[in-house]
Every structure is written in C-alpha cells, then in structure tokens.
C-alpha cells in the first residue's frame, strides 16, 4: 500500500537510526505489498497468472466415456434386443420411470463464483404413439427431458429432443467454493396407458437413446 | 526475489556508503518484483491486459449458406443414392462457394480449448411415405386393433451434419473430420457403411420426417397414420477440442451435410448406417443461412 | 548567593487556558505531535498532496472548491479495496485510483451543497455498500466496484455504482391478459384482442405430469356458462441488498368455461413491472381461486407463487395449480423509503436507522434486520418534542446514540425483543455530527455547544453511562468557534498518531479553519491532552486504512479574496512532511508542485506563580529538556506578569551541551560519522528577568525539534506585591 512521508530529513538533522529506518521500512513495506493504486494499467496478462487464477474449464468432448465403444452414449438402459436397424437403447421393457443420470463428474477445484454449464448431444425418441386413447386429449409429443445440476442446484432443465434431434442445454449459476458434483440427467416420457411396447416381430421398441453427448463447464471467479 | 531484507540501523552504527547503498539497491533491481509483491485484490479489471489475447486467444465467425429470408432460393442437397456412402457436402453460399472459417492459423496446445458452435436453417423434403415405412429398416410394424399390421416410421432416419477441419495448411485443400468425428465411410458390416456413435462428437442429426399414429389403444393402433414433413427448422451443433496430444494448427473449419443415415446396432455397438432401402436422390435437404463460430481460449 | 528553587515539568503537558493552570501545562501549544518513540512534543509534522507526483499539479482536483464531505470506505477486509468518496460543488465523487492516474469520478451530480448551518454528507458502511445521506436528496447506496479503466467508465456503468436507496413505492399492478378458454371442440383456437388461451390438460394421463398445471376449473358440468375462475396477483421487487419492497395492489382476472367444456385448465399471461436500479428479482404472489363457485369464496389471501430472478423479463406465464402455491405472503406491511430526505444513518443491531430529515426531524426509522431497504410501516420511533430534532446518529457498543438539538437519547434492544428509547442527557448535545468519534479509553467523543464531551461506560452489565466534559481547561480557546457554523465541524481519529483531530469554523469563518487535537498519549496524565493545529486547511477529514488522515481542502479553487492563481485544491494527507502543503511554480515550460514552508510550532508555558503569586520571584534559569535532533535552533523568550512582550535570550541548538555534536545531515562524513540515537539533554538558558509575580517562557520554530519537559530555577526574598489599586 502506498504511504506518505513518515520521517522527512532536513539539513542539520541528527543522523539518527530512525532517520534512515523509518522511510526504508515504510518503503519496503509499500513495495512488498503493492496495491491496485500502485500497479500500472494492463500489466497483467496470461503469462502473469497462476493456472486457474481467474477461470477454469472442465470439458469432456464426449461423455460419458467409461465404457469402450459406447463413448458419448447413455449406458443406463441398453436393450440390445431391438431390431437391427435401430440403436440399442432404452425400451419400456427395461425402463419404468424417473430421471436417469449419466456417470457423475466432479468439477474439482471450483473456487466460488459463476459456473457456466453447457451440455449437448443428439437423441432419438420414438414419437409415434403419442395419441393414446385413454389420454382423451390432446396428443402430445414425447420428449427426452434433460437437466443438469451442480451440487444439487439445478442449472437448467428443458424438454429436449422429441424425435431424432440435436439439443443443447446451457445456463449459469453462482456457487460457493468447493468441488462440484456435476449431474447430467435425462428422463424419457413415461409409458402411457395404451402404449405399444413391442412390434409384431415381436421385438421391443426403442423409446429413447441419447448419444454424441458432451459437456463444457467454466468457472469464473475473483 | 521480491523481499527486501535489510537490518535496521542501530545506534552507533557507522554511516557508511556501502550500508546506505545496500539498503536502497534492492529497490531498483530489474525484474525484482514478482507475484509475492502484490497485496490482496491488487489486480482488478484495470490491471488486466484485455487489449491483447487475454484468456480468449482467438475467435472467428462466418455466415453459413445463402441468405434467403423468404426461403424462396435455398440451396438443396440430394440424399445419397449410391451403394456405399455419400460424399460429405460442404455448406455453400448462393454462388456455390463453400462457406467456412479460414484460413485461421490457430495453433492449439495443451491447456487450451477450441469450441465450435454453428446453426443452420434447414428443411428436409422430397420423400414419400414409402421411403419412410420400410419394414426392417426405417419402419416398425405394429399390430392394428381388430387385426392386421401397419408400418410406422421409427424416427431412426437422420440427415447428418458434422464438422471438418483442415489442419495442414492455409490452402484449405485437405478437409478431414474433426477429432472424434467420422465421415461415416467405414464398411463396418456386410454391405453397410457408416460409423460407430462414439465417432460422432461433432455430429448433429436432422430429422427428415415425423410419423405418428392417430390412435393408440391398449397396445394396438389404428391404420390411419399422420405423416408430416418436419419443414423448415433451425438446427445447431457444438463441438469441443481439448488438445489431447501434440499441438495442432487449425486452418479451416466447415460444416458438411449428408443423408440419409439410420440407426443401427450390432450387439452392444451402435452405428449410423447409410440406409440402402431409401437411397433415393429425390430425397433432399434444403438450407438457407446460418452461422459458424469458433472460440479458442485457455482452460485456466 | 541565594539558593535557587526549582519547579519542574518532567513531561510537559498540553494546552490549558482556564486559571489556575496546572504547573505542567502550556498556554500555547500549536502544531505539535507526540513523538511516538519518546513521548515528547515533536514539531515534525505538516501535510502533503494526496498524489505525490509534483507534475500532477492539482490534478484531478484543479477546479474543485470546498470539499465538504469525505469518507474512506473499506470494501474489502485489510484495506484491499479502499474507496474514497468526497463531495464538492453538489457532486459526489469517487477518488478512483486507476492505474493511469487518480480520477475524480462523478457518481452523482445535482446534489444540494450544505448551507453554513448544515453538515456535509453522512456516510454509513453496510455490507452492501455505503449509505450516503445529506438531508436533501434521497439517500444513496454506493458501491463502485468493479470498475475498469478510464475509458470504460461510461454513464451506464457509473449509474450502477450509486443508486437511490430504498423503494420509491409499490410496483404497478401486473397486467393480466384476458384468459380466453377454448370451447368444447378440441381444435378450436381462440386468439386476438390481447387474450391468451393457454390450455393445460387436466387429465393425468394426457402428458407426463398431466394434470399438474393450470388454474381454475377443469370442467363445467352445467349446461350454462358458469364455474368462474377468479384469481389475483401482486408483485414486489427484490433489491441486490436482499430487501423486498412493498407489494403492488392486487390485479385480478376471471374466466368461465363454456357449457360442457372439460379437459383443460388454463394459464395466465402476466406483464410484470420492471424494478428500479438495484432490483435483481421480482416476487410474484397469487391467490387461490376465490370465486363464489370455488370452496374459498372471497378469500383473496396472497400466497407466494414464484421469483423471477432478473429485472428484464416482462412476460410471466402462470400455470401453477392452487396446490403449488407457496406459503402465505408476509402480513408485514412494507413501506416505500420512509425517510427520502434522511440526513443521518447508522447501522445498529443489523438494522439501518435513518432520521426523518429536516422536515421530519423527530422520527427515527429502522429497517428489518439484515435488510437495509426493507422498512416495515411500524418500524418508526417518534421522539419526544422536548429534545428537538435529531442532529445525528451514532452506533456504539450496545446502543444507538441519538443526538438531538437539546439532548442525547439512547436506543437499546433488538428487533426481536423490541427497541426502547432512553434519554441520557437533557443538557448536553451535539450539533456537529462529524465531530463524533469513538476514541480508545475515552468512549464516544464529540463537540458540544461549549466544549468537547465523552460518553463513557454503557448501559449493560452494571456499567454506568455518563457524559463527561473533557475540554474544560481549554474553554477560552473554545470561544473562537463560529457558533452558528458548528454543524460544519469535522473530525477524525488516527490510530497512527493516537490523535483525535477536530477542525472547527474559527472566528467567523463559515467552514473549518482551526484544529483541536486530543493526544491520547496525554489522556490521564497530569496535564491537558489538547493542542491546536493551525495552518491546516481542512474542510473535511477522514481516516485511511493505514491510519493516515486525509483531508479535503476547505477553499480549493473557490473564488475569494485570499485566493491567488492556481490555488491548492483537492485531497491532502497529514503526515511528517515538513511543509504546509505546497504551491505551483513554473520553471521554464514545467509547472510543478513545490512544498511550502513548514508550519510554525509554538509553545508557551503556563503562567508560573511558583505557589503564590503574591510573592515576587526572580527567575535565574529556564531549562528545556530537548532531544538532540541536531542543529535546529531554539530561541527562548520569556514573559512576566501576563505581559505579552517577550524578552529573547540567546539562541541554542538541539545538540548535547557538554559533548561533541552529534553528526548531522549535510555535514556528516561517510565512513566517519556514526548513527546516533537522539538523547535527552538539558538546554539551560540563563534568564535575565527582574522580579515578577508570574513567569512564562515560550519558543517557536519551523525546524525539527522534540522537547520533553522543562524546569525553571528561581530565587525569592519573600517580598510581596504591593496592595491592589484603589478604586
């Protein structure tokens, strides 16, 4: 911090220890604790900053990736008994209800501040059986709802793909310092009262598959 | 060196030139100051050199396709109709010239990320329902209430859009799929070409049609299907590259299109396969304008 | 030869003017600071520009006149982000220390400058920024961070740095688009006329979470239109301080289903008002269906519905079922800012306290705890009329001190237990708000009408609260204050020098002119702790994180008879600089700041009667105990019998009288001289003084001296003064 005169010397003053010590001590203190008013403009660039000083990126260009040959795909429910010309994925034979989560991911070293999250991918939803007799009205498309949260705080949620579609979900939130548990979740439309769940083959009908999944997260602080 | 460590002067010490000089020379050493000389909150917005490449190393954007706001003059791309696979078609402007990013000359190294975002206005068309409802391929056969069967499209078809880059030179003559992405040209089984889903990091699917059943009742359906073209819609894509290996220099980035592929699986492995059952050049994808943007920044 | 008698003051005391004076004090003690190592009186003081570079001249303050308000806010702990605010010419400025140079950034213009009977703006630190009040304009909440470089300080950016505190009033009602239910045909579509028809399937199987959304009746089983759905909405604003404002009046709408309609509930489209600057969210409340057709007719209780977490969105779609409503809206009646012309503020028991301002001077308003902009209607204390209007508020220890025109009240308690008001003085008051400071070991010190007082002790735990005069012995000097301009007095405490500085309008001046300094080091000793600071043009003063005292010039560039060309203006710091500020000098093409001469430090002893003024004495020697500061010259003058014509003695220097001189700057030779601590030595001066009844001695200097005490040797034959003059 800057200081002002603490011991000005004048001609004829005794050459006392404090006449030297006071100003040196204060100047040294000042130069060892330079503050915002003492630094020049634009003196800091990337090369001056510690890693993650201002921001940190966590990114998986394809996620989840814990099962070989299934990188970027949901692995929660994988019914391989669907017809060949279809993805092995979620069928109502194996899915009942609720949100399904991709492998959790830890955003380590979050320093507190803004967290920007982005999750995108492709999804295939079998939409054709929306007009169900017992629903009376109206016919409503089926969806692959998607939601992402950090330490339980929902950052964004939406109705995602409704047939063969690409989706992208993004949002930001302020969070306190500490590692963050990132949860990427999806939820198929639950089975309707009249749902055909097998074809005449008979083979289970794929209801949903999620693939090309990837996320990007950026924490910004200070 | 950031600390200035000099003992204080004491009563009786000699007033020497060396003693004085030593006490002050440390203040003037070139390059002596470092991070430990800064107090807390010393660095704020004004101290940041935001005029140069600060965290954000590079960014660029380009308009994709052709402007046709009333949709009267889109560009149109035909579906593949050969026996193997279609050639990826770059997004062109009204004069048929490729619209892409480049030449960029961005060198990507460890600790950096490339983020690419794009969007495009598209409209699949040109197909008849006979293309859609092929049992065993794009159709699912369902029992009809009261007897019989009906084939409904299974929504597994897709136009595919993906990213290619040129990481060889500013000439932009060597477009290849971006890292983690395939051109879907592998003969992965029998006569089928395509690629595994784990090679679709930069892929965006575009639905060509939507087929719904007008009434579903107790696990059976009626025979009246509601076939809809999906019409004009905006599609988008995102891609991240976090430099897993040696540094590369990205010279160009472009969006390419091809169709029609269909979902396929062998055991536990999922694929996109070019569907020979609907290899029909009458099936087209029209597009007008969009945007392609790339950001290159540090990860910390 | 007669034996001499000695009177000593081993530690020279402070200023005393009331008679009889103590034996160790001073009749004049001007421009001295306590030497922090040895405790003597040191002349090593002065003041310098806030900005050290001489080539900056007076920039950026060149055109500024009287700086009548000054405050250093600590935005971060450990002084990491110190914000200095000052006010001059009706503009509140931020002293923005941008790397490109210090900028005076106008945060709010058009403010009313104080009259000579007003004090400058009042500042109170809160967790959300600094509250600034002046008794004319709305209170401000100031927090100028983050800011960029000079070119980035746009009007929009600066508008966010200082905003009006509190709510202007209740928001406008939300506007509800007509809810137009569809008929019985599933394909019917009803639009136009500003109506909306947003249906929600009432059946649980129609859609995932079907039946979860929508308001009102799902069907009309009758054959006639009926089953009215009647709802009301209200909106409130939430500020960045977390405070919620008053709710808007309720806006209602209703709809009825067509005969035989079923299957759908409906959503409403609300246009919600945009909040004032500082609003970060809107809170929406709604009733359940309170039509006569539903189970709770006429029950228009509002429930929490939702928070819109921004101040941008204007359209809100309400699809919430009655069961999805939250808790009942708070019944507390929140008010708009109750004191839009508050003159003073304080933070006590987590509540922000405001006086009502000049037109409402006996009302005291307080916010909800922790929510400095949330003022429930009942949070007001009406003060008794006897005490007069509030002259300032000061939070200290476990109480809020309410200074009034004719007394001092104390607020105690808490928001939960209730606050109570007690009068602690009906006679002493403070009409100089900026003189109030909490001083270690003394309590709360302030300038009253007739001198300085300290409020000591407390009201809890058996402590006794007392108002104690602390300046009786300088009453004569106190009479120089311009009485009607007392509100303009300013003060600050420096932990660096352990001094309380109070600058007051002097001898008819309308603004601070002369300073009274209380030296904490002298409190509790035999003598007075006071001295005078003269020649310091303090208009307003505050303490920086370092303990340094910074002040705003009391004249600046203001036109006036004393003002020459390029008059000094802006901020200055009281330091050990041996100069009374500076001036600009042009040499060639370069104009730069040059130090002025140092201040004159003057000491005069008390009038010594050596025990009995009737007996005549002859003073032989006067000895000053000086520190050997070097070749500084000291010329002692002495006076007798209250005569103001002094007699000068020889000039001495501050060197040991009976040893070799200590080396001094400009003559000391390197590798020859040694650093030497200053020593206490006697400067014994022979005094040629005929017999006297009372004796005093004095000296003044602009050089660097430190004196500790003195002694006077005298003889007496016992002769007495003659009888008094006959009438």
């Amino acid at each position: 911090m800057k200081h002002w005169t603490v011991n000005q010397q004048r001609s004829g003053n005794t050459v006392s220890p404090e006449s030297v010590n006071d100003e040196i001590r204060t100047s040294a203190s000042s130069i060892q604790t330079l503050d915002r008013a003492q630094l020049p403009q634009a003196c800091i660039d990337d090369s001056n900053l510690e890693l993650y000083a201002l921001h940190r990126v966590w990114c998986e260009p394809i996620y989840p990736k814990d099962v070989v040959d299934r990188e970027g795909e949901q692995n929660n429910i994988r019914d391989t008994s669907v017809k060949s010309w279809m993805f092995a994925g979620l069928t109502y034979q194996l899915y009942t209800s609720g949100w399904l989560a991709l492998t959790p991911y830890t955003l380590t070293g979050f320093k507190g501040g803004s967290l920007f999250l982005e999750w995108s991918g492709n999804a295939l939803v079998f939409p054709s059986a929306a007009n169900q007799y017992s629903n009376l009205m109206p016919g409503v498309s089926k969806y692959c709802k998607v939601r992402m949260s950090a330490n339980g705080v929902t950052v964004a949620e939406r109705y995602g793909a409704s047939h063969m579609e690409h989706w992208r979900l993004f949002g930001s939130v302020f969070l306190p310092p500490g590692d963050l548990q990132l949860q990427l979740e999806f939820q198929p439309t639950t089975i309707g009262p009249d749902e055909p769940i097998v074809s005449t083959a008979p083979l289970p009908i794929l209801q949903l598959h999620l693939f090309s999944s990837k996320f990007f997260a950026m924490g910004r602080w200070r | 060196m950031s600390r200035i460590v000099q003992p204080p002067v004491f009563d009786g010490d000699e007033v020497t030139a060396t003693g004085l000089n030593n006490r002050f020379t440390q203040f003037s050493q070139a390059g002596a100051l470092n991070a430990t000389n800064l107090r807390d909150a010393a660095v704020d917005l004004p101290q940041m050199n935001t005029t140069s490449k600060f965290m954000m190393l590079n960014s660029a954007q380009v308009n994709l396709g052709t402007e046709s706001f009333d949709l009267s003059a889109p560009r149109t791309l035909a579906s593949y109709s050969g026996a193997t696979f279609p050639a990826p078609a770059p997004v062109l402007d009204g004069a048929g010239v490729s619209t892409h990013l480049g030449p960029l000359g961005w060198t990507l190294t460890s600790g950096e990320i490339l983020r690419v975002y794009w969007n495009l206005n598209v409209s699949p068309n040109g197909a008849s329902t006979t293309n859609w409802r092929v049992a065993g391929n794009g159709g699912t056969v369902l029992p009809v209430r009261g007897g019989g069967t009906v084939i409904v499209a299974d929504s597994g078809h897709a136009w595919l859009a993906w990213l290619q880059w040129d990481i060889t030179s500013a000439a932009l003559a060597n477009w290849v799929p971006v890292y983690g992405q395939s051109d879907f040209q592998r003969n992965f089984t029998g006569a089928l070409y395509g690629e595994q889903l784990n090679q679709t990091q930069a892929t965006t699917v575009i639905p060509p049609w939507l087929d719904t059943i007008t009434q579903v009742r107790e696990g059976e359906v009626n025979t009246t299907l509601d076939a809809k073209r999906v019409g004009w819609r905006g599609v988008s894509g995102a891609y991240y590259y976090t430099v897993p290996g040696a540094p590369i220099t990205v010279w160009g980035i472009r969006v390419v299109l091809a169709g029609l592929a269909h979902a396929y699986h062998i055991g536990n492995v999922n694929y996109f396969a070019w569907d020979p059952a609907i290899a029909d050049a009458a099936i087209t994808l029209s597009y007008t304008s969009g945007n392609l943007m790339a950001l290159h920044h540090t990860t910390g | 030869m007669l034996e001499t008698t000695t009177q000593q003051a081993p530690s020279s005391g402070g200023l005393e003017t009331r008679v009889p004076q103590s034996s160790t004090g001073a009749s004049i003690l001007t421009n001295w600071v306590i030497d922090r190592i040895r405790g003597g009186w040191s002349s090593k003081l002065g003041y310098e520009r806030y900005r050290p570079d001489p080539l900056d001249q007076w920039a950026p303050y060149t055109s500024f006149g009287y700086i009548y308000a000054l405050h250093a806010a600590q935005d971060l702990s450990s002084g990491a982000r110190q914000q200095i605010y000052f006010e001059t010419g009706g503009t509140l400025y931020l002293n923005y220390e941008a790397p490109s140079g210090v900028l005076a950034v106008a945060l709010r213009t058009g403010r009313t400058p104080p009259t000579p009977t007003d004090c400058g703006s009042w500042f109170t630190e809160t967790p959300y920024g600094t509250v600034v009040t002046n008794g004319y304009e709305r209170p401000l909440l100031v927090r100028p961070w983050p800011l960029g470089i000079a070119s980035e300080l746009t009007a929009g950016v600066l508008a966010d740095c200082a905003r009006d505190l509190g709510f202007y009033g209740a928001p406008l009602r939300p506007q509800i688009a007509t809810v137009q239910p569809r008929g019985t045909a599933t394909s019917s579509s009803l639009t136009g006329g500003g109506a909306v028809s947003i249906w929600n399937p009432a059946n649980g199987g129609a859609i995932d979470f079907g039946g979860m959304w929508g308001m009102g009746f799902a069907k009309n089983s009758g054959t006639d239109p009926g089953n009215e759905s009647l709802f009301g909405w209200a909106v409130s604003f939430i500020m960045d301080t977390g405070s919620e404002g008053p709710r808007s009046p309720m806006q209602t709408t209703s709809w009825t289903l067509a005969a035989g309609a079923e299957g759908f509930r409906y959503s409403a489209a609300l246009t919600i008002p945009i909040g004032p600057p500082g609003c970060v969210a809107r809170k929406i409340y709604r009733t359940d269906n309170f039509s006569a057709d539903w189970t709770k007719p006429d029950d228009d209780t509002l429930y929490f519905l939702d928070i819109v977490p921004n101040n941008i969105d204007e359209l809100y779609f309400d699809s919430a079922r009655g069961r999805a409503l939250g808790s009942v809206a708070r019944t507390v009646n929140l008010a708009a800012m109750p004191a839009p012309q508050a003159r003073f503020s304080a933070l006590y028991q987590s509540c922000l306290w405001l006086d009502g301002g000049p037109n409402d001077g006996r009302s005291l308003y307080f916010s909800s705890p922790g929510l400095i902009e949330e003022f429930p209607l009942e949070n007001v204390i009406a003060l008794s009329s006897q005490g007069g209007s509030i002259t300032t508020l000061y939070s200290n220890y476990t109480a809020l001190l309410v200074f009034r025109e004719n007394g001092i009240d104390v607020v105690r308690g808490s928001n939960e237990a209730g606050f109570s008001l007690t009068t602690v003085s009906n006679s002493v008051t403070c009409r100089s708000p900026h003189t109030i400071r909490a001083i270690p070991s003394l309590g709360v010190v302030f300038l009253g009408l007739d001198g300085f007082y300290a409020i000591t002790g407390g009201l809890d735990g058996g402590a006794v609260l007392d108002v104690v005069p602390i300046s009786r012995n300088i009453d004569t000097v106190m009479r120089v204050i311009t009485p009607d301009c007392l509100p303009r007095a300013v003060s600050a405490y420096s932990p660096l020098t352990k001094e309380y500085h109070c600058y007051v309008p002097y001898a008819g001046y309308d603004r601070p002119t002369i300073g009274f300094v209380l030296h904490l080091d002298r409190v509790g000793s035999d003598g007075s702790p006071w001295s005078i600071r003269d020649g310091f043009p303090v208009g307003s003063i505050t303490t920086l994180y370092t303990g340094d005292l910074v002040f705003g010039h009391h004249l600046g560039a203001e036109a006036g008879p004393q003002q020459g060309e390029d008059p000094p203006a802006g901020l200055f710091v009281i330091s050990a600089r041996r100069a009374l500020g500076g001036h600009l000098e042009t040499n060639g093409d370069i104009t730069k700041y040059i130090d002025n001469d140092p201040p004159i430090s003057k000491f005069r002893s008390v009038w010594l009667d050596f025990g009995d003024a009737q007996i005549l004495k002859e003073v032989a020697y006067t000895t000053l105990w000086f520190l050997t500061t070097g070749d500084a010259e000291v010329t002692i003058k002495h006076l007798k019998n209250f005569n103001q014509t002094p007699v000068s003695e020889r000039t001495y220097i501050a060197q040991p009288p009976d040893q070799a001189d200590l080396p001094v700057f400009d003559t000391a030779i390197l590798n020859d001289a040694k650093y030497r601590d200053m020593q206490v030595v006697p400067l014994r001066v022979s005094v040629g003084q005929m017999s006297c009844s009372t004796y005093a001695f004095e000296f003044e200097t602009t050089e660097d001296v430190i004196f500790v005490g003195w002694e006077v040797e005298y003889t007496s034959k016992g002769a007495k003064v003659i009888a008094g003059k006959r009438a």
Side-chain angles (χ1 to χ4, degrees), chain C residues 17 66 341 369 379 435 537 640 650:
Chain C
T17 58
Y66 170 28
Q341 286 188 301
N379 281 17
T435 65
K640 69 176 184 180
R650 293 183 59 180

Side-chain angles (χ1 to χ4, degrees), chain B residues 48-127:
Chain B
M48 301 289 186
N49 184 0
T50 53
T51 54
S52 67
K53 293 176 177 176
F54 188 77
M55 295 193 289
M56 177 63 76
L57 304 172
N58 291 291
S59 68
Q61 76 90 31
V62 67
N63 292 334
L64 288 180
T66 177
E67 287 183 7
S68 177
F69 295 123
D70 62 357
L71 308 174
S72 60
R75 290 209 66 90
T76 298
L77 169 73
S79 171
Y80 106 103
S81 55
T84 53
F85 50 80
V91 176
L92 307 176
D93 67 9
V97 177
S98 168
T99 51
H100 55 259
L101 284 174
L104 300 172
W106 299 353
T107 298
L108 277 50
T109 64
S110 175
E112 297 172 2
I113 186 171
L114 175 73
R115 297 159 62 190
V116 183
Y117 300 92
W118 62 270
N119 60 73
L120 189 64
N121 192 32
V122 299
S123 175
N125 43 45

Side-chain angles (χ1 to χ4, degrees), chain C residues 321-361:
Chain C
R321 293 284 303 273
R323 66 190 183 209
L325 293 172
S327 55
V328 176
R330 285 196 296 174
T331 52
V332 58
N333 289 313
L334 297 175
M337 161 55 76
Q341 286 188 301
R343 196 198 292 254
F344 304 107
S345 62
L347 205 59
Y348 172 65
Q349 290 285 354
S350 301
C351 304
L352 181 70
W353 295 71
L354 297 170
D355 75 319
N359 298 317
D360 184 16

Side-chain angles (χ1 to χ4, degrees), chain C residues 79-91:
Chain C
R81 196 162 61 227
Q82 180 169 257
Q83 314 279 22
I84 296 179
Y85 308 118
F86 64 91
E87 205 165 329
T88 179
T91 298

